[in-house]
Amino acid sequence: MKQHRIIRKLLPTLLLGCMLIASCDIETSGNGKLDGFWHLVEVDTLQTAGKANVAEQRLFWGVQAKLIHLQGTDNRFYLRFTHTADSLTLYQPYLDHWHQDQVDGGDIPMDDATLLAPYGIQRLEEHYKVEALDGSKMILKPDILRLYFKKF
């Protein structure tokens, strides 16, 4: 008799818990190994075979959901992207000006890619071939450069 009372009291709670779990959607980005915080460590210029170690400049790409956040220079940027197994396309860059409720706040659409050049981005819409991507390194190749990243 005592067990029936306990079951009667617990049953509604268990049912409610099951309904809550069943109604939740787990959101995943689908970015796979691209998600994370990437440190740009080397840039190769393919036309001249020059190599530049840029690790000390502390340039980072933060990839999460549908955005890439760039930081390391005096400015920060957001870009949208699309990613498939062997390509990455960056587009719609914005200058990150924090929150709109601040003076001069809010993200500003960019019409000149010059400020993005230290990150290996030469155009407002940039296409990369993904040459390598695993849990610790990424190598991207646009037209004239090869970018080497380490996961931070």
Side-chain angles (χ1 to χ4, degrees), residues 1 20 38 44 47 58 61 84 91 100 125 127 134:
M1 190 75 160
L20 288 173
W38 294 94
D44 291 354
Q47 292 175 338
R58 305 181 68 73
W61 290 27
T84 63
Y91 60 97
Q100 290 179 339
E125 183 170 313
H127 303 277
D134 62 29

Side-chain angles (χ1 to χ4, degrees), residues 21-86:
I21 290 172
S23 69
C24 293
D25 291 330
I26 297 175
E27 187 176 325
T28 60
S29 69
N31 295 331
K33 294 177 180 174
L34 181 63
D35 269 344
F37 202 58
W38 294 94
H39 182 199
L40 180 61
V41 294
E42 187 175 298
V43 177
D44 291 354
T45 305
L46 301 176
Q47 292 175 338
T48 63
K51 292 183 182 274
N53 182 334
V54 295
E56 294 298 317
Q57 293 179 30
R58 305 181 68 73
L59 302 169
F60 295 96
W61 290 27
V63 180
Q64 183 177 15
K66 297 176 183 177
L67 294 174
I68 294 179
H69 186 246
L70 306 177
Q71 63 186 48
T73 61
D74 291 338
N75 296 299
R76 293 172 312 278
F77 308 93
Y78 283 107
L79 298 97
R80 296 191 183 284
F81 71 93
T82 58
H83 172 243
T84 63
D86 63 350

Side-chain angles (χ1 to χ4, degrees), residues 70 77 79 93-94 110 112-124:
L70 306 177
F77 308 93
L79 298 97
Y94 286 83
M110 296 180 64
D112 179 12
T114 306
L115 293 174
L116 302 171
Y119 299 93
I121 302 169
Q122 306 300 314
R123 296 178 196 87
L124 295 175

